[in-house]
Amino acid sequence: MTSEKFAKNSLNNGRHEQAAPHQAPDDEIPWAPLHSLDTLWFQVGGTICNLWCTHCFISCSPKNHNFGFMPRETVKTFLDESKELGVKEYYFTGGEPFMNQDMFAILQDTLEMGPATVLTNGILIRERTAKRLQAISEQTRFSLEIRVSLDGCNAESNDRIRGNGSFDKALNGLRNLVTHGFLPIITVAQTWEDHETEKIFDGFMEIMKGIEYTRPRIKIIPPLRIGREKVRSRGYEQYEHITLEMMRDYDDNLLQCTRSRMVTDKGVYVCPILIDYPEARISETLKGAFSPFPLDNNQACYTCYISGAICHNFSASNS
Ligand code: SF4
Ligand code: SF4
């Protein structure tokens, strides 16, 4: 069976809505089985964002309504389902999650069930927002992590990618979070040559000292060469794809898709990276989302293979 045929079957024959087949089909292509559903992602901000970053791998913008905001009730339905399936932690992304007016209520619901992480560009984290997040965080026994994206350690390098004024606003958001007791994870997409990493890392340390964040947590993630990043730099070379041979003796636990799924307003997808690809939509429900996924279709999988669980707070590419 080819991967295209399998993806089609996963959606159309209803078999995977009830069953939870963990085993990959016997085939000549590489598959990612879902070993267990430990982590659940929500595309809570849809593809709507207050920025228009030139490297955005799902091409979010103020005008991109391909995926919409997820209302509290929808998220709650999936949270309830996730409990039965043993999910251990939750991630919220977009677009920009804090553009969703239900975000605070969603976090309150989630933190009754497990730890949560929000991926944000930091622009909307004003003083009162940070204060509210602190109050929510203090009412729960589970951790609330905030990840803030910055793509340069100064306005010039950051704003070239994320837009004019975004550096100052994000830095202000980070300052507010630090003031209100958070240790935000600063997520930086690598848009520079490897030999420059140390210098750039030092630059981040310096700028964080300025907001009294003396031991900042910095996560550098590799570029995913899809969406707008494909235009900004380059797409994948022909050789950059996963083969069956490459998966032999490889620890597939390093791939997000063997431990997690992504919920959107259009159904459940295999991972947070491939929501623009219809074949990555696995099912309507979480129970139906246990199908293995073919890794030979999309070259973004190659980046995961090389760099580890790049979307998770802690990963092989974490620094
Ligand atoms: S990279 Fe993040 S902040 Fe930038 S447009 Fe995409 S979703 Fe928005
Ligand atoms: S992009 Fe990464 S997480 Fe998504 S299916 Fe491919 S390997 Fe798995």
Side-chain angles (χ1 to χ4, degrees):
M1 186 189 289
T2 67
S3 51
E4 289 83 357
K5 279 183 196 156
F6 183 85
K8 199 172 163 200
N9 282 350
S10 323
L11 290 177
N12 290 350
N13 66 11
R15 179 165 54 96
H16 302 296
E17 291 298 323
Q18 289 126 37
H22 295 255
Q23 296 301 314
D26 182 17
D27 211 332
E28 293 305 310
I29 60 165
W31 294 88
L34 180 63
H35 296 309
S36 62
L37 189 55
D38 296 339
T39 303
L40 193 59
W41 287 77
F42 287 94
Q43 191 74 18
V44 76
T47 40
I48 306 152
C49 193
N50 46 359
L51 295 184
W52 205 313
C53 304
T54 59
H55 66 351
C56 187
F57 63 85
I58 44 175
S59 308
C60 296
S61 77
K63 293 184 176 175
N64 185 345
H65 294 268
N66 285 346
F67 290 84
F69 295 134
M70 296 189 70
R72 178 184 190 177
E73 300 70 38
T74 309
V75 174
K76 185 77 171 70
T77 304
F78 281 99
L79 286 175
D80 291 342
E81 194 188 359
S82 78
K83 202 172 176 184
E84 294 163 29
L85 296 170
V87 172
K88 297 183 181 69
E89 59 174 344
Y90 302 91
Y91 283 67
F92 296 91
T93 187
E96 171 48 48
F98 289 111
M99 288 177 78
N100 183 333
Q101 294 189 343
D102 285 354
M103 196 59 221
F104 296 105
I106 287 170
L107 283 177
Q108 276 170 327
D109 292 343
T110 306
L111 287 164
E112 284 174 14
M113 306 182 70
T117 297
V118 186
L119 279 63
T120 171
N121 59 36
I123 303 287
L124 297 176
I125 305 192
R126 301 185 182 103
E127 217 268 327
R128 66 173 184 277
T129 309
K131 201 170 171 182
R132 205 164 162 192
L133 289 170
Q134 182 182 30
I136 291 171
S137 174
E138 285 174 355
Q139 282 163 15
T140 170
R141 67 191 170 96
F142 294 111
S143 65
L144 173 59
E145 296 272 17
I146 311 288
R147 267 167 58 173
V148 178
S149 302
L150 263 190
D151 289 322
C153 52
N154 52 49
E156 191 198 349
S157 55
N158 179 79
D159 292 4
R160 202 163 42 223
I161 292 165
R162 305 186 76 81
N164 285 342
S166 59
F167 181 80
D168 289 344
K169 288 178 189 161
L171 196 62
N172 195 43
L174 279 163
R175 185 186 290 111
N176 289 333
L177 287 168
V178 172
T179 304
H180 287 277
F182 288 95
L183 299 172
I185 300 169
I186 300 151
T187 307
V188 190
Q190 183 170 348
T191 52
W192 58 84
E193 298 296 324
D194 284 345
H195 70 269
E196 295 175 282
T197 297
E198 202 175 324
K199 190 179 77 183
I200 289 169
F201 191 82
D202 289 347
F204 273 103
M205 295 297 286
E206 203 52 42
I207 211 83
M208 290 305 131
K209 262 191 222 156
I211 60 166
E212 297 185 24
Y213 192 16
T214 46
R215 299 185 65 195
R217 302 155 78 194
I218 301 173
K219 178 181 170 72
I220 297 175
I221 55 172
L224 288 155
R225 302 186 183 285
I226 53 178
R228 277 203 292 271
E229 173 64 6
K230 185 176 173 180
V231 180
R232 189 195 71 83
S233 59
R234 66 169 176 85
Y236 288 94
E237 302 288 351
Q238 211 172 358
Y239 73 89
E240 293 177 311
H241 63 95
I242 298 181
T243 64
L244 193 60
E245 184 60 34
M246 285 163 68
M247 292 305 287
R248 293 208 174 103
D249 300 324
Y250 177 77
D251 180 5
D252 66 10
N253 287 298
L254 289 170
L255 305 176
Q256 271 286 313
C257 49
T258 62
R259 298 274 166 193
S260 71
R261 287 293 182 253
M262 161 59 95
V263 182
T264 75
D265 69 334
K266 290 185 174 166
V268 183
Y269 282 69
V270 66
C271 72
I273 297 167
L274 298 183
I275 63 166
D276 270 340
Y277 297 85
E279 65 274 18
R281 184 187 179 281
I282 295 190
S283 68
E284 285 291 329
T285 63
L286 290 181
K287 284 190 190 75
F290 278 72
S291 309
F293 188 75
L295 296 173
D296 66 334
N297 264 351
N298 198 299
Q299 289 181 281
C301 298
Y302 182 79
T303 299
C304 296
Y305 180 92
I306 297 293
S307 308
I310 56 177
C311 306
H312 203 267
N313 284 348
F314 307 100
S315 73
S317 64
N318 206 358
S319 39

